[in-house]
Amino acid sequence: MSTTEAGRSTAEARKAAILGKAVPVFALKGYHATPVTEIADAAGISQAYVFRLFGSKLGLFTATLERCFGLIEQALREGAEKAPGAPSAQVLAAMGDAYAALVADRDLLMLQVHAQSATDVPEIRDCMRRGYAASVTLVHELSGGTRDQVQYFIAMGLMCHLITALELDGVDDPWALTLVNGMTVHGRRAE
């Protein structure tokens, strides 16, 4: 391996480590309220090095979102693999359970929620659109579901966001029980 290749692989490994630290930091306060210094501190590196690797706070945030959507894709694929040859509805259910288990990590979920609130920034909006486009396309491909089935699947995923963000699985009021009914939250199906 040449010195240049070694430097590239070190930079890529460092980027991945920084993105792992960026998720919980951005998840706490979102794009607008999070200074890059907090992510640099969490990663144990200088702010200048973060800028060197990502160019800007916006570059770091969109790379963090791309990592999030990559994890979503991985979860969807793993879910679909648990239902080989099954009808679309069963594949979608398995994919939904895999997604619910993924977003039980509140940080990934809150990163998405904060990103949606920052779509006034064109680059963030475009990143979100690319991520959803890839997810919807993948769900269609892996499940063989109809447009209506995939729309329902995505809608239930967004309901999962609401339930998890507001911690509704712990609220014993009729309105909350209505929203949680039948949903998989934190890896278990609510009744």
Side-chain angles (χ1 to χ4, degrees), residues 51-170:
F51 285 127
R52 185 171 146 217
L53 291 175
F54 296 97
S56 65
K57 176 178 162 179
L58 183 56
L60 174 60
F61 189 77
T62 56
T64 305
L65 277 177
E66 288 166 356
R67 179 181 189 276
C68 177
F69 278 109
L71 293 171
I72 291 169
E73 179 181 325
Q74 179 182 347
L76 294 173
R77 287 184 186 284
E78 289 170 2
E81 288 170 3
K82 292 180 180 177
S88 297
Q90 288 178 352
V91 176
L92 288 165
M95 292 168 75
D97 289 345
Y99 180 74
L102 177 69
V103 296
D105 173 353
R106 253 181 92 72
D107 290 339
L108 283 175
L109 176 111
M110 293 309 296
L111 174 66
Q112 293 176 68
V113 170
H114 282 299
Q116 288 174 341
S117 73
T119 55
D120 59 320
V121 178
E123 294 85 351
I124 294 173
R125 181 182 56 242
D126 292 345
C127 187
M128 292 292 288
R129 284 179 178 174
R130 284 190 307 274
Y132 272 102
S135 295
V136 170
T137 301
L138 184 65
V139 169
H140 263 295
E141 289 172 359
L142 295 178
S143 72
T146 66
R147 181 175 269 168
D148 288 344
Q149 286 176 307
V150 173
Q151 180 189 46
Y152 183 79
F153 176 84
I154 297 297
M156 289 299 101
L158 294 173
M159 179 69 83
C160 224
H161 286 196
L162 177 67
I163 291 167
T164 302
L166 298 180
E167 298 178 348
L168 295 182
D169 58 319

Side-chain angles (χ1 to χ4, degrees), residues 2-77:
S2 73
T3 306
T4 305
E5 289 172 330
R8 251 184 275 155
S9 67
T10 301
E12 290 305 312
R14 200 53 145 151
K15 276 184 165 182
I18 293 165
L19 293 175
K21 299 295 184 180
V23 169
V25 178
F26 278 131
L28 188 61
K29 295 190 273 184
Y31 172 71
H32 293 294
T34 302
V36 173
T37 54
E38 287 185 19
I39 295 163
D41 290 348
I45 59 172
S46 71
Q47 180 178 341
Y49 191 56
V50 172
F51 285 127
R52 185 171 146 217
L53 291 175
F54 296 97
S56 65
K57 176 178 162 179
L58 183 56
L60 174 60
F61 189 77
T62 56
T64 305
L65 277 177
E66 288 166 356
R67 179 181 189 276
C68 177
F69 278 109
L71 293 171
I72 291 169
E73 179 181 325
Q74 179 182 347
L76 294 173
R77 287 184 186 284

